[in-house]
Amino acid sequence: MGPGEVEEERTYARAGGRLPGDPVPDPGLGDETVPPRPRRLTPRSLARALPALLIAGGVLYGLLTPREFTAVPFFTAAPLIAASLSSLRTTVLTGAAAVVAMYAVRSRGEHSAAGVVTDVVTVASVALLAVAINRVVRLGDRRLASAREIAEAAQRAVLPEPAARIGGFEIAACYEAARQDAFIGGDLYAVQDSPYGVRLIVGDVRGKGMGAVAAVAVVIGAFREAAEREDTLEAVAQRLERALAREGTRREGIDAFEGFTTAVLAELPHGDGLVRVLSRGHPPPLLLYADGTLRTLAAPEPALPLGMGDLGIWPDEVMEERFPDGATLLLYTDGLSEARDALGRFYEPERRLAGRAFPGPAALLGTLADEVRRHSGGGMTDDMALLAVRHPGPSPTVTG
């Protein structure tokens, strides 16, 4: 066996006993083999092939039509398309190929030298423009990727994912931005274990942009401190009220006078099997029992949102409810309840969840997020924050 045959034998062994082009063995069929799977054509792969197709089409058009007709549109379109879809190298090669093809087509037959030069210079100019466009597009992509990374980091810093288990309770959280290019807005959630039990907050800051994000940071920071120190939910709410009042004096424009935050606070005392809820102008939480029964924990009297204490004093009222084994508490923002379908109908979580059971809070939130996206056709108009807490107990029979 010669050196070449030895090397071929080694390559054959490294490839698992197959040479390029050999059929691929199916592990479920023993020694039987199946042919390699063909590559699927995708819209993006077809779009990437379009510049080459345009150049080929331009060549055929130039050769098969009278000399009065020009294939310049084919050859100029090719590098422009490549500029937005391909790398710099591919764009340069496409432009060069278009120029060469243009010259080859126009130099055949009886064409004036001025006409040939004009067409070639036109294609070359567009090819150079395509290279510049490619650089601008790639620079924009890098800046967008950097902005997304910064937004993701800000989201993780301001709204960190809570642990899956806190104080003996199972926890899950979800944040869905209405805009695909926005990762964080004015919705918020937080979970804090404390000497008084596990405390939670879900809220919605009025407004958008960095001002809303700053208010979110203020509310969450004040909540975490107050949850550790204050012995009642009423005191926690008052601490948040004062924190937002201080923040309002530092905000400019209309937000300095009209900024507010709707919020719902909940407390799960250790070992008591209870849940206490305090609402400040926010959608009421839902309590889902293990058998599919659903109860809305609506406040007996509506209260003003946080940050509006200067309009009047309303005493906070805390409602208390049993929180048995296997039950799940769901807190959410109005991005869930105000999601509309094509006919303008709202998504109604009470009606959609009644009679259903889920294996855990993460499964519940995943189902809700999927259903809302389908309900709204992917066109949500407001951010959505979801927080679910399950009292450990017997696993429910899944009907969701």
Side-chain angles (χ1 to χ4, degrees):
M1 182 180 293
E5 294 173 309
V6 171
E7 182 59 31
E8 181 178 350
E9 194 70 25
R10 290 174 178 170
T11 304
Y12 185 84
R14 286 195 299 268
R18 289 186 293 110
L19 290 175
D22 284 352
V24 180
D26 188 337
L29 299 177
D31 293 336
E32 298 181 20
T33 58
V34 294
R37 292 181 180 178
R39 291 185 178 180
R40 295 179 58 186
L41 291 178
T42 64
R44 188 167 184 84
S45 63
L46 291 175
R48 288 181 180 277
L50 187 56
L53 296 176
L54 284 171
I55 292 176
V59 171
L60 292 176
Y61 184 86
L63 296 177
L64 299 178
T65 58
R67 65 179 183 177
E68 290 80 10
F69 293 82
T70 178
V72 168
F74 289 89
F75 297 125
T76 54
L80 290 176
I81 294 176
S84 60
L85 298 175
S86 304
S87 64
L88 175 62
R89 180 174 179 273
T90 301
T91 303
V92 171
L93 292 177
T94 301
V99 172
V100 172
M102 181 74 259
Y103 177 77
V105 168
R106 293 292 284 168
S107 62
R108 291 173 56 89
E110 297 179 0
H111 297 288
S112 65
V116 173
V117 171
T118 299
D119 288 349
V120 170
V121 169
T122 299
V123 175
S125 300
V126 173
L128 292 175
L129 177 62
V131 171
I133 292 174
N134 178 272
R135 290 296 82 201
V136 172
V137 169
R138 296 295 165 256
L139 179 60
D141 288 345
R142 287 195 294 270
R143 288 178 175 173
L144 179 59
S146 177
R148 286 177 174 171
E149 291 174 359
I150 293 172
E152 288 175 343
Q155 183 183 35
R156 288 191 295 268
V158 177
L159 289 179
E161 189 77 16
R165 198 173 184 90
I166 299 176
F169 297 96
E170 299 174 15
I171 310 287
C174 174
Y175 191 100
E176 291 278 334
R179 292 173 50 195
Q180 293 183 356
D181 57 346
F183 292 89
I184 187 171
D187 289 13
L188 62 97
Y189 57 77
V191 183
Q192 184 71 32
D193 198 2
S194 76
Y196 313 100
V198 176
R199 287 174 166 174
L200 313 98
I201 184 172
V202 166
D204 187 356
V205 175
R206 176 196 172 275
K208 300 291 183 182
M210 293 307 298
V213 175
V216 167
V218 169
V219 172
I220 292 179
F223 168 77
R224 293 195 182 281
E225 180 181 1
E228 288 279 354
R229 295 175 177 270
E230 304 294 346
D231 57 355
T232 66
L233 281 184
E234 296 93 331
V236 174
Q238 289 302 315
R239 179 76 72 91
L240 298 180
E241 183 78 44
R242 292 192 295 271
L244 280 175
R246 289 194 301 269
E247 172 67 9
T249 62
R250 293 193 294 266
R251 299 178 72 178
E252 299 178 355
I254 190 171
D255 284 340
F257 303 96
E258 298 184 9
F260 62 85
T261 299
T262 66
V264 60
L265 297 108
E267 180 181 87
L268 306 172
H270 296 298
D272 286 355
L274 297 173
V275 56
R276 300 188 181 103
V277 175
L278 186 154
S279 179
R280 281 297 197 95
H282 198 80
L286 303 179
L287 187 58
L288 289 75
Y289 296 95
D291 61 359
T293 304
L294 184 145
R295 178 175 172 79
T296 302
L297 305 183
E301 293 291 336
L304 289 176
L306 297 169
M308 300 183 70
D310 56 342
L311 299 182
I313 298 177
W314 278 263
D316 289 311
E317 293 190 27
V318 175
M319 68 175 302
E320 189 174 273
E321 186 68 29
R322 296 297 304 172
F323 192 39
D325 291 349
T328 301
L329 180 68
L330 172 65
L331 298 85
Y332 60 92
T333 59
D334 57 12
L336 173 69
S337 56
E338 295 184 1
R340 296 174 182 260
D341 63 10
L343 300 178
R345 295 173 299 196
F346 290 111
Y347 181 88
E348 301 175 10
E350 297 94 336
R351 181 175 64 84
R352 297 294 188 102
L353 294 177
R356 301 168 69 181
F358 302 87
L364 168 61
L365 299 192
T367 299
L368 279 174
D370 290 341
E371 288 186 359
V372 169
R373 281 192 292 265
R374 289 197 300 269
H375 180 79
S376 62
M380 295 170 57
T381 58
D382 196 4
D383 295 352
M384 177 178 69
L386 306 173
L387 182 63
V389 185
R390 180 171 178 264
H391 194 297
S395 297
T397 301
V398 179
T399 61

